[in-house]
Amino acid sequence: MSTGACLMVLWIICLYGIVVGVWWIRLRDYFRERNAAAGIRKGADRLAAVALTGHVCDITMGMVLLPVSRHSALASFFQIPVSTTLTYHILTAYTLFILVIIHGILYVSWLPVFNNLSASLRMVIPVLNPTYLYTETWPGDSSSIGIWRASLVFTGSMAAAIMAALFMTTLPRVRTRDFNLFYFTHLLSILMVAIVCLHASTMFYCTAPGLAMWVLDWGMRFHELRRTLDGTLSTLGNGWYWSSVTIPLPRARLTGCSCRSPLAHFYIHHARSSIRELHPFTTITHLASKNDATPPSDEDIAIQFLFRKQGKPMSTHELEEAVAPKPFYRRMIRGKKERAKSVQWTAKLASLVDEKSPGLQHAPLKGGISDLMAGCPPTDHGIGVSLRLEGPYFSPADPHRYDTVICMVAGTGISGALAIAAAFSHAIRREQDARIDERPAVSRRWRRCIIVWSVKASSDIDLMPLDPISEGLELRKFLTGNGRRRLDLEQELADLVEGRDRTWIYISGPNAFIIAVKDACKHVKKKADVDFYAANWDI
């Protein structure tokens, strides 16, 4: 956990501790005095607990909304990675659901106390909202404020029902089998927040910061997605594809320390593949060096992506049916049979170039890894494609603070490693240019960059030809899968980590691979100065 994340956790603990400590004493004393004045000797602490859990739910709801913004100012300031903010969102959301259940149980537990009251005392404290007096709520008070106080039990029940639906769709079995159900059910949270604000007058003030960031975030996302960007899509063979997209990225958005990170991802929307879906892709382009190399007069910066088609091979008829234009309502609502035979988003996008270039599945690449890092097209064949891009979103990473950077990647996880390698090459070029121009060279600590790439198919090995690249930059390829011996991750890391060098390890790939490398890093960390970061999208 980073220093920023630790500070956030400490702040949250202090906040809840102060709220519970201060409010419990005040609420307990208030309800004890009120019940004693009314002649009611039991239930005061229970009512205080109902009110306290309600206030804690208000604060927790605000906490849940804080990290949902992709353009999160808090995450950027504290340099918290996406995986951490998502984990925080999930934990606080589950905590909120538990608090709501406790809040409801405490309210229901008041009913036996109410039933044991005499008829005269039942006219003092109402059953619908016992935190107020009978004369303050309907039917004792028929004003609008009295009716609102009596309606709180109904708005609370409606909000709890929506929250239960959200909870059910977040279960791993449901979320992984039907992500769209999970996603669109989450949109009900907008209605839930509105209902909860009617339920508790203090809720709006607690949720206002998160709501403001969320509204601003959606405004920025719509602003970024409003324009269609024309680029090229090429096939590398064996299910791998190269996409070169020119994006009008304002230079003002690349100022600040966070954009110096070599790791950046975008959300890509392709209307012909899906009207609803946006998919995250890590760019292999180092945006900071690309920005420096692009003439100031150019408004656009060319960025590249690398992806692999997933799913089973499709027939020509299936391809035509998958990419054929459909009415809007057909794209938004699919029947059970359509969902069963649905085609992966990446397969639909890849089918566009497969139709145009069926004979290029084993075409040789021109150039090697240095050409990919420089943004040169790997083949002479490609088709035009129109995409919408949302981003960039930067992951907090500063490899320049380390002597050695090791990229442990598998499959398409090499995208982030290529961006890191491009940052390393850029640092070397800057140092060389300073020497040629006889300018003071910037002190460079980063001396080694090693990419350890694990692939399962032997044909994938040839996709990244090992050509002469920057001094200190090394690419190691390992063939695994199909009964082959697995890479000894701990031994490989131990061999690469040198003595007193400070080392940073970047991890990307399938979830099982990430877990295995993280375990190996923890063992190596006991003997060497090692930090590591995992680009993990699975929570």
Side-chain angles (χ1 to χ4, degrees), residues 65-71 186-187 189-190 207-221:
L65 295 178
L66 280 178
V68 298
S69 304
R70 289 178 183 168
H71 298 88
H186 256 60
L187 295 181
S189 59
I190 302 173
T207 58
L211 286 175
M213 293 175 60
W214 183 81
V215 172
L216 178 62
D217 174 62
W218 273 94
M220 295 178 66
R221 288 158 68 175

Side-chain angles (χ1 to χ4, degrees), residues 248-271:
L249 197 63
R251 295 181 184 276
R253 293 173 58 188
L254 294 180
T255 57
C257 59
S258 62
C259 80
R260 308 308 297 183
S261 168
L263 301 174
H265 64 275
F266 293 78
Y267 285 84
I268 301 180
H269 177 266
H270 183 241

Side-chain angles (χ1 to χ4, degrees), residues 7-21:
L7 291 175
M8 286 285 290
V9 171
L10 179 62
W11 172 66
I12 292 170
I13 293 175
C14 293
L15 176 64
Y16 277 94
I18 293 172
V19 168
V20 172

Side-chain angles (χ1 to χ4, degrees), residues 38-95:
I40 301 174
R41 287 178 289 180
K42 294 183 178 180
D45 290 353
R46 201 168 304 181
L47 291 179
V50 171
L52 177 64
T53 53
H55 286 304
V56 175
C57 285
D58 292 348
I59 297 171
T60 308
M61 175 68 81
M63 294 292 193
V64 171
L65 295 178
L66 280 178
V68 298
S69 304
R70 289 178 183 168
H71 298 88
S72 175
L74 288 176
S76 177
F77 179 79
F78 288 103
Q79 296 189 352
I80 303 174
V82 176
S83 58
T84 301
T85 58
L86 289 176
T87 303
Y88 169 80
H89 172 70
I90 292 173
L91 292 177
T92 52
Y94 284 157
T95 302

Side-chain angles (χ1 to χ4, degrees), residues 298-517:
D298 292 353
E299 297 181 357
D300 300 342
I301 298 176
I303 61 173
Q304 288 76 36
F305 300 94
L306 190 67
F307 70 95
R308 188 171 189 177
K309 180 171 62 177
Q310 298 179 354
K312 298 179 180 180
M314 295 179 290
S315 64
T316 304
H317 175 71
E318 289 174 328
L319 284 173
E320 293 176 351
E321 185 179 358
V323 302
K326 296 180 178 64
F328 179 78
Y329 71 91
R330 285 283 307 278
R331 287 181 287 179
M332 294 299 296
I333 304 175
R334 296 182 299 170
K336 185 176 181 180
K337 293 183 178 180
E338 290 179 303
R339 290 196 301 268
K341 62 179 183 180
S342 62
V343 181
Q344 287 283 348
W345 185 90
T346 50
K348 293 180 182 179
L349 183 59
S351 66
L352 299 176
V353 68
D354 285 343
E355 291 176 327
K356 302 291 182 181
S357 336
L360 298 178
Q361 295 303 309
H362 302 285
L365 303 183
K366 60 173 189 177
I369 186 174
S370 59
D371 297 286
L372 290 177
M373 292 188 301
C376 300
T379 69
D380 293 322
H381 306 275
I383 64 167
V385 63
S386 296
L387 304 172
R388 298 177 188 270
L389 266 64
E390 175 196 326
Y393 299 101
F394 292 94
S395 299
D398 188 6
H400 297 278
R401 296 189 297 111
Y402 299 86
D403 302 289
T404 301
V405 173
I406 303 173
C407 301
M408 302 291 293
V409 295
T412 55
I414 196 172
S415 295
L418 291 177
I420 293 173
F424 180 74
S425 298
H426 177 64
I428 293 178
R429 285 196 303 270
R430 290 183 60 187
E431 186 178 55
Q432 293 172 347
D433 292 342
R435 291 175 181 174
I436 294 173
D437 298 339
E438 297 182 351
R439 291 182 285 106
V442 179
S443 177
R444 181 170 64 91
R445 181 175 184 177
W446 189 8
R447 296 296 173 182
R448 289 201 308 159
C449 181
I450 305 170
I451 301 176
V452 180
W453 187 32
S454 174
V455 292
K456 291 185 178 181
S458 57
S459 54
D460 292 346
I461 290 290
D462 299 326
L463 289 176
M464 301 290 175
L466 186 59
D467 55 347
I469 45 183
S470 303
E471 181 182 356
L473 180 57
E474 180 183 353
L475 173 62
R476 298 189 177 190
K477 306 175 187 178
F478 292 90
L479 189 61
T480 60
N482 296 327
R484 301 183 184 91
R485 184 176 62 88
R486 290 188 176 183
L487 177 63
D488 189 338
L489 300 172
E490 186 175 346
Q491 184 61 45
E492 183 68 19
L493 288 174
D495 294 340
L496 294 176
V497 175
E498 292 186 352
R500 299 180 180 179
D501 283 358
R502 193 179 184 203
T503 304
W504 182 67
I505 302 172
Y506 169 74
I507 311 168
S508 182
N511 193 42
F513 176 83
I514 290 177
I515 294 174
V517 178

